[in-house]
Amino acid sequence: MSTATPPEPGALQPLLPSDPSVIAAYRLLGRLGAGGMGVVYLGRTANGELAAVKVTHADQADQPDFRARFRREVEAARRVSSPWAVPVTGADPDAPEPWMATAFVAGPSLGEAVTAHGALPERSVRLLGWAVARALAAVHAAGLVHRDVKPGNVLLAVDGPRLIDFGIARATGETALTATDMVVGTPGFLAPEQAEARTGAIGPPADVFALGCLLAYAATGRPPFGTGAVDALMYRTVHDEPDLTGVPEGLLDLVRACLAKDPAARPAAAAIGLRLVEDAPGDGAEWLPAPVVRTIAERSARMLALPEIDATEAPTAPAAPPAKSRRGFLLLAGGAVLAAGGGVTAWAALDGDGGGDGKKKTAPPKARRWTIGVQADLTGPGKDIGRAQERGVRLAVERFNARKGRPFTLDVKVSDDGGDRHRGLAAARALTGDPDVLGIIGPSSDYAGLVSLPAYDEARLPVITVSAGLNLLINPSAPQGLSVLRACSTHSYASMFLTYYVEAKTRTARPGLVQERTDDAYSWQCAVSAKFAFGQAGITVLPRVIPAGAKRLEEVLGELVDAGIDTYVHAGTAPSAVRAAKELDALGFTGTRVGGQHVFGSEFVEGAGKAAEGWIVGAPVVDPATRKQAAALMAAHRKAYGTAPAFYTGEAYDVTNLLVDQVVKAAKGGKRPDRTTLTAPLRAAKYEGVMGGYAFTEEGNLDGVSTFVYAVENGRYKPLEFAPAAPPKKAEGT
């Protein structure tokens, strides 16, 4: 079983009523993570040793070949003997729910550390590479290929890193259980032969290529082939040179050698260790920067504060106190031993009974709240959209609370992610970690939403977004986005539908298309879909790609106009669209000009001024003023906020009402519903809101609705109509 890396130990979740309390010799203390394949628990043996216990779902175990794959994973991990690879401490592939336990490492993954604290200094990178190279040498010596070396699969401990997750490891040359056209690995950290699914060519050099990507990432804070859509990442991996800007001079030659396109030109893992470092991580933490050490110390302290193991039998007599060993978790850093006291008392306080002696130390806990969560950008670049959605949620909750005979009263809890991908996961966990939150409206932005997925998937808490359109937010093949409902079109479909509209309303024959890579994933999805839609009509596009920051934009626009384009399609952000509008105006271009969701908004019309007039812009929202069904919402918004509702307010209002309706249905007899059961009925629901109808596919994407089209007129967005979800029919004889 290959699962996503578990969430950080600091986010340990309590066991659910359906969870076992014991797996073999491991008493389970909480959940480290969960996904479509199973659950990862934090377990502890009688002598106090901690382990990550991976347990598969029973329905997975019944699938053909599953046990063979799981058994192979266990055997692969056991065959690797290295101090830098996490060892297997127990397993049972033949259990009704197969499980495997590995030694638990309290430190963060490399990905978490770099995201939180930035790139590592050169010595840290050298020591990291030395240890991971030695682990890979042991993998290869065992006749295996890891095939998924990535930042999430390298954990950082005070005495050095640890390589984890052998879920897709294979014996060299083994292909029997892998489809020949299946891409295995993590885009951005896989070799060209993996990206092209050349199964027979995947061997130890593929791991070396991934190690090169890992070193570049650790040294610069970014993957060497960029980020964005999967197809774009794999294309760059196969055809483009890596971006190694910022890699220290002393590491450049080795990293370049690891990233050779030809597997035969890459060095062996054993040789890499010799080239990287003259010393090795010691017993202390001096090999890591101080902020990372503090993170490890905090997590280790939490492990020290875990409760002692309770008796698992019926409580007939007091059990003898278990051993209090915390072997492996006394953290030596800077000569000081980090310890944490009061573990049992602190843990008992989480249960709300105030003490562990059977006597209540505090007043009884207050009644549980029924809360709707909101994750949105309230202070960052998308704050207008985020605030509009927050207001929509609050108005829907106020409407419900004003009902006579309501079965309960609702609260709203808001978590601001600032539209920042580095804050998204923490903002999501502030909501998913609150047991009173029954569902979430949001996130309002793409990338904060994307990094929030581990929290959503772990909690299985329903999350409904009306504006995050990245394809990967819901990805059944991963799987990820297990509890997400997207009440808007993806950027890919929205761009395709908008192109169909342009084809139907104009006689374009020579469109120009600019893909601006400031927001690479969004612009790539828009550009590819627009080109595809034009191609369906037999129209050849003049495409151009410009770097982030819209460098060379004006020069490229001049080339396109000189080439005779009659339509301009902007696959990019609002700031570059402002520049494009002004430059096209200066060039005297009078053809159709088109932009997508990330152009739509006040920044474009205010920034471009008169040059914005006539632009056609698509967005996944309807103007509330055009909907008579939204009259009550309009009045309530004016009363509460003194203005008419902004775009996205109505959609957030609708999906909140949809969520509340399902909560009411699940709360029969006043019983509080299990929030983890709400996603399925939400995806099956058909709801008619004030802004229109909502229905979802089985995976959680919006079904049957395209994108709305606006024209800029007198400095405002004039509503036109929904873009068609199919290409226009050709007239006979054409």
Side-chain angles (χ1 to χ4, degrees), residues 5 8 14 32 39 75 101 161 170 215 285 299 317 336 373 435 441 459 472 590 633 649 666 717:
T5 303
E8 60 170 324
L32 291 169
V39 182
E75 292 171 352
R170 291 289 188 276
L215 294 174
R299 297 189 180 187
I441 308 303
L472 289 178
T590 58
L633 169 63
T649 301
Y717 289 102

Side-chain angles (χ1 to χ4, degrees), residues 442-636:
S444 60
S445 60
D446 283 329
Y447 300 102
L450 192 60
V451 301
S452 300
L453 289 179
Y456 302 156
D457 290 345
E458 174 188 357
R460 298 199 177 186
L461 180 63
V463 179
I464 312 176
T465 180
V466 299
S467 53
L470 278 182
N471 284 355
L472 289 178
L473 196 65
I474 297 175
N475 185 10
S477 64
Q480 62 187 28
L482 299 173
S483 298
V484 178
L485 289 85
R486 193 201 321 262
C488 60
S489 291
T490 65
H491 297 315
S492 295
Y493 278 109
S495 178
M496 186 164 58
F497 300 152
L498 186 60
T499 305
Y500 292 155
Y501 176 87
V502 171
E503 293 173 6
K505 300 298 181 180
T506 70
R507 295 187 176 181
T508 181
R510 195 168 175 78
L513 171 64
V514 168
Q515 176 189 343
E516 176 231 333
R517 293 183 62 179
T518 298
D519 188 343
D520 199 22
Y522 163 79
S523 62
W524 186 84
Q525 290 178 22
C526 291
V528 168
S529 296
K531 187 176 180 181
F532 170 79
F534 279 124
Q536 284 184 299
I539 299 172
T540 300
V541 178
L542 275 69
R544 296 291 187 273
V545 179
I546 58 175
K551 299 175 183 177
R552 296 187 63 245
L553 173 61
E554 285 77 8
E555 177 185 345
V556 167
L557 291 174
E559 294 172 357
L560 289 174
V561 171
D562 288 344
I565 64 169
D566 56 11
T567 295
Y568 172 72
V569 179
H570 188 83
T573 60
S576 58
V578 169
R579 286 171 51 189
K582 291 180 177 180
E583 181 63 17
L584 289 171
D585 201 43
L587 291 169
F589 181 73
T590 58
T592 304
R593 290 144 295 163
V594 184
Q597 181 181 345
H598 285 193
V599 173
F600 183 79
S602 59
E603 181 179 4
F604 174 66
V605 293
E606 293 172 2
K610 292 183 178 179
E613 293 293 306
W615 272 65
I616 294 173
V617 185
V621 287
V622 178
D623 186 347
T626 65
R627 298 277 299 174
K628 63 180 181 180
Q629 298 91 333
L633 169 63
M634 297 277 291

Side-chain angles (χ1 to χ4, degrees), residues 159-176:
D159 59 345
R162 299 292 190 277
L163 181 64
I164 65 169
D165 201 346
F166 292 82
I168 59 174
R170 291 289 188 276
T172 304
E174 179 186 344
T175 60

Side-chain angles (χ1 to χ4, degrees), residues 214-233:
L214 192 83
L215 294 174
Y217 173 81
T220 66
R222 65 182 188 281
F225 295 98
T227 59
V230 171
D231 290 350
L233 278 174

Side-chain angles (χ1 to χ4, degrees), residues 333-349:
V337 178
L338 301 180
V344 175
T345 302
W347 193 269

Side-chain angles (χ1 to χ4, degrees), residues 126-224:
R126 286 181 171 276
L127 290 164
L128 171 82
W130 175 84
V132 175
R134 290 191 66 185
L136 287 175
V139 170
H140 300 159
L144 300 170
V145 184
H146 188 285
R147 304 206 304 174
D148 200 19
V149 178
K150 62 182 180 181
N153 279 343
V154 176
L155 303 182
L156 304 182
V158 290
D159 59 345
R162 299 292 190 277
L163 181 64
I164 65 169
D165 201 346
F166 292 82
I168 59 174
R170 291 289 188 276
T172 304
E174 179 186 344
T175 60
L177 296 176
T178 304
T180 56
D181 60 349
M182 180 185 297
V183 175
V184 179
T186 300
F189 293 89
L190 45 69
E193 56 267 30
Q194 289 175 282
E196 294 184 314
R198 291 184 278 123
T199 307
I202 298 174
D207 288 342
V208 171
F209 189 95
L211 176 58
C213 294
L214 192 83
L215 294 174
Y217 173 81
T220 66
R222 65 182 188 281

